[in-house]
Amino acid sequence: MSAVKVNTPPGELSIRGIMLPLLAIIVGMFMVILDGTAMNVALNQFMEDFGSSFSLVQWTVTGYALAQAAVIPLAGWLSDRFGAKRIFLMSIVLFTLGSALCALAGTVEQLIAFRIIQGLGGGMVAPIAMAFTYRLSPPGKQGAVMGMIGIPMLLAPALGPVVGGWLVEYVTWHWIFLINLPIGVVAVIVGLRTLPNLERQTVPMLDTLGMIFAPLAFAALAYGISSAGGEHGGGNGWTAPETLIGLIVGGISLIIFITVELRRTSPLLELRVFRSSDFTRGIILQWIVQIALFGTLFLFPVFLIQAKGYSAFETGLILLPQALAAGLFMPIGGKLFDKLGARPVVLFGLLLISTGAFLLSGISASTTIAEIMIPLVLLGAGMGFSMMPLNTHIIQSAPRHLVGRVTSLTAAAQQVISSFAIAGLSTLLADRNQSYALTHPASDVAYLSFGDAFFLLACIGVFGVLVALVLRRPKQQPNEEGESKGPEVTMMMGH
C-alpha cells in the first residue's frame, strides 16, 4: 500500500465520490450520539440492579459528559499532529472498547469508570467528523454534504430514548452497550478502507498550558453547571459547594486559558477567530439553537413521564416525529444553504422553532397527542433547517487550515451551553413548581411550570431570529499560504 499525495483541484471531487467515507463518519457519529441519549432512560434500572442511590448512578451520565468535555478541546490539535483519519478511528475504537466494558460491568463503580473510557473516545468523534467532512466537501456543495452528516446529530438524540426504552423494558440494559460493538467494528473497517489521509497541518510545538487548562476549564464548567440544575432536574442549586467549586475552578481556568491562547502563535484552540464578526454572529446563533435543541430534549421527556405518566418507551415513540422531521429537513436545509446562504435558511428554521415552542407553552391536561406532535414536528423541522447551515457558516468564516481547531472550539462551547440549558431549565421548573403550588391545584402545577419553560424557549428563539437578520455570507477565507484552495487530500491507493 502506498500513499499518493493528491492536490485536488476545485470541482474535481463529487458528492458521489465521497459517499463511502461519509458512511464511515455517519455510522461513527450515530453510534456515539445514540448511546448518549439511550443511557438516560436506563438510570432507574441501574439503581434497581446495582442497589445504588440516584446520586451515585447519575455519575454514569455525568462522568461520561465530563470526559467528553475534557477531550473535545484536544481533538483539533491531535488531528493536525497525527492525522484526522488516525485519531477519528482511534476514537471509535476507544468508544467501542468502552462499550464492551460497560456491558460487562458488575458494579455501578465499574460502570462509571467504563463510561468515562467511552466518553474519552466519544468526545472527539463529532468535532473531527465535522472538520473531516467539510474538508472533503466539493466546492459549492459544503452545505449539502454537511446536511447529510447532520442527520445523525439530530436523529440519534430522539431515537436514543426509543431504543434505550425498548431494550430496558423488553431485553436488558446491557444491550444498550452491546449494540455498539458491531456498529463500531463496521465504522472502523469502512473507515480504514475509504477515509482519505487529509494533509496534516503544521504543529510547531506542543501547547502544554493549553493542554492543561482547556480540559480543566470546560470539564469543571460543565460539572458546575450540571450540578446546579442536574441532568434530570434534581440538582443541588447554584449556591451548593459542588456547583461553586466547579464554576470557580472552571472560570479561573478559562480566564488563564484564554490569556495563554491569545499569546500563542500556534494555540490549542484558535480563539482569534472571534475577531471575525461573521464567526461571532454564527456561533451566538448556534448557541441559541443548541439551547432550544437540548432544552426540548430535556424538557419534553421529563414532561411526558412526570405529567402525563408515559413509560420511557412510549415517550420515545411520541418524540419520534420530531426526530424524523429533523432528519428529513436537514439535507434540504444544507442544499438551500448552498444556493441562498445561511441567513434566509436559519431565519426560517428559527421561526419554526419559536412557533413550536410557543404552541407548547399553552399545554394543558386536555392537550391531545396530536396537539403535542404538531409543535414537536415544527421544532424538529426548524432544527433541521438551522443547525447545519449554521455549522457550515461558522466553518466558512474561519481560515481553511484552522477548520479542525474551529470545530473543537465550537464543540467544547456546545458542551458547556447544553449543560447550561439543562441546568437553567431545571432551576426554572423548580422555581415555577414552588410558586404555582401556592396558588393552583396540584394537578395544574406541572402543566403551568412546563408551559413557562417552553415560553422561555420561544422567547430565546425570537431573539435568535433578530440575530439571524444580521447574518451575511462570509468572505472566502485564505489558507495559511494566503490563497484559497480546494482540499488537499492524501489518498491511500491499493486497498
Side-chain angles (χ1 to χ4, degrees):
M1 181 181 292
S2 60
V4 181
K5 185 174 176 180
V6 180
N7 293 327
T8 308
E12 183 173 314
L13 290 174
S14 67
I15 291 181
R16 179 178 297 180
I18 61 173
M19 284 303 296
L20 284 177
L22 282 181
L23 178 63
I25 292 171
I26 289 172
V27 169
M29 287 184 65
F30 187 82
M31 173 182 69
V32 171
I33 299 173
L34 181 76
D35 185 86
T37 53
M39 267 288 298
N40 292 337
V41 300
L43 298 185
N44 288 336
Q45 194 63 46
F46 293 153
M47 292 169 62
E48 183 178 327
D49 286 4
F50 293 123
S52 300
S53 65
F54 179 77
S55 60
L56 180 59
V57 166
Q58 193 175 5
W59 273 95
T60 60
V61 174
T62 304
Y64 177 84
L66 295 183
Q68 281 191 315
V71 299
I72 285 173
L74 309 180
W77 186 88
L78 289 172
S79 295
D80 288 347
R81 177 65 178 84
F82 300 104
K85 175 178 178 177
R86 179 181 297 178
I87 300 301
F88 179 77
L89 293 178
M90 287 178 62
S91 299
I92 296 293
V93 168
L94 185 58
F95 182 88
T96 306
L97 175 63
S99 298
L101 292 173
C102 286
L104 298 174
T107 66
V108 70
E109 290 82 6
Q110 289 178 0
L111 183 59
I112 292 169
F114 298 150
R115 282 284 287 168
I116 291 173
I117 293 175
Q118 260 195 321
L120 293 174
M124 288 191 286
V125 168
I128 295 175
M130 295 288 291
F132 214 132
T133 304
Y134 183 80
R135 293 177 67 187
L136 281 178
S137 301
K141 299 291 184 181
Q142 287 95 343
V145 176
M146 296 290 282
M148 292 170 64
I149 72 150
I151 294 174
M153 294 182 67
L154 289 185
L155 197 58
L159 287 178
V162 180
V163 175
W166 187 83
L167 290 173
V168 169
E169 288 187 29
Y170 300 108
V171 192
T172 171
W173 62 262
H174 299 82
W175 277 95
I176 292 177
F177 304 107
L178 289 174
I179 60 173
N180 293 333
L181 304 188
I183 299 173
V185 170
V186 169
V188 171
I189 292 175
V190 175
L192 281 171
R193 294 186 61 84
T194 65
L195 286 175
N197 285 323
L198 298 180
E199 184 71 8
R200 299 182 192 179
Q201 305 297 325
T202 302
V203 185
M205 60 180 294
L206 177 65
D207 182 5
T208 307
L209 290 177
M211 297 276 278
I212 294 172
F213 285 103
L216 182 61
F218 288 107
L221 285 173
Y223 172 72
I225 293 170
S226 62
S227 294
E231 197 73 27
H232 297 273
N236 302 309
W238 292 96
T239 58
E242 298 93 331
T243 303
L244 292 176
I245 290 172
L247 293 178
I248 292 171
V249 171
I252 293 173
S253 299
L254 184 62
I255 292 171
I256 295 174
F257 173 70
I258 291 172
T259 303
V260 169
E261 295 302 277
L262 290 177
R263 295 177 178 177
R264 297 278 188 187
T265 56
S266 181
L268 182 69
L269 295 180
E270 184 51 83
L271 303 179
R272 283 179 283 259
V273 291
F274 280 101
R275 292 174 181 170
S276 165
S277 60
D278 295 324
F279 178 88
T280 302
R281 293 188 193 111
I283 201 168
I284 290 172
L285 270 173
Q286 187 184 60
W287 292 344
I288 291 171
V289 174
Q290 199 80 7
I291 290 171
L293 170 62
F294 281 92
T296 304
L297 291 175
F298 162 71
L299 274 181
F300 223 78
V302 174
F303 168 76
L304 291 173
I305 292 170
Q306 290 186 359
K308 289 289 191 179
Y310 290 110
S311 68
F313 182 54
E314 291 170 332
T315 297
L317 290 177
I318 293 170
L319 291 170
L320 193 55
Q322 178 186 2
L324 294 176
L328 174 64
F329 288 104
M330 178 76 78
I332 296 174
K335 290 181 179 179
L336 289 174
F337 169 85
D338 288 332
K339 294 180 179 179
L340 306 174
R343 181 165 59 185
V345 185
V346 172
L347 266 174
F348 184 63
L350 284 168
L351 284 171
L352 291 178
I353 290 172
S354 302
T355 303
F358 180 75
L359 291 174
L360 289 175
S361 68
I363 205 163
S364 67
S366 61
T367 302
T368 65
I369 289 295
E371 291 171 329
I372 288 175
M373 286 189 174
I374 290 172
L376 282 179
V377 168
L378 290 176
L379 283 167
M383 292 167 186
F385 273 116
S386 55
M387 181 157 290
M388 275 305 110
L390 274 174
N391 280 337
T392 312
H393 172 88
I394 289 169
I395 293 174
Q396 285 186 344
S397 300
R400 192 176 189 92
H401 70 283
L402 294 178
V403 165
R405 307 298 179 93
V406 168
T407 54
S408 294
L409 172 62
T410 56
Q414 284 177 18
Q415 188 79 14
V416 175
I417 290 295
S418 61
S419 297
F420 178 77
I422 293 171
L425 289 169
S426 298
T427 303
L428 175 66
L429 282 176
D431 178 74
R432 301 315 292 160
N433 278 332
Q434 291 179 359
S435 178
Y436 283 127
L438 300 175
T439 56
H440 290 77
S443 58
D444 294 338
V445 170
Y447 293 100
L448 292 168
S449 299
F450 279 101
D452 286 353
F454 281 112
F455 183 74
L456 175 62
L457 288 180
C459 293
I460 292 172
V462 170
F463 175 69
V465 169
L466 298 177
V467 178
L469 289 171
V470 298
L471 275 184
R472 61 185 182 185
R473 281 184 182 268
K475 298 178 181 179
Q476 181 68 36
Q477 294 294 326
N479 64 7
E480 49 190 343
E481 281 78 31
E483 55 185 356
S484 299
K485 290 184 179 180
E488 188 174 271
V489 182
T490 303
M491 301 297 295
M492 298 302 297
M493 310 301 291
H495 290 301

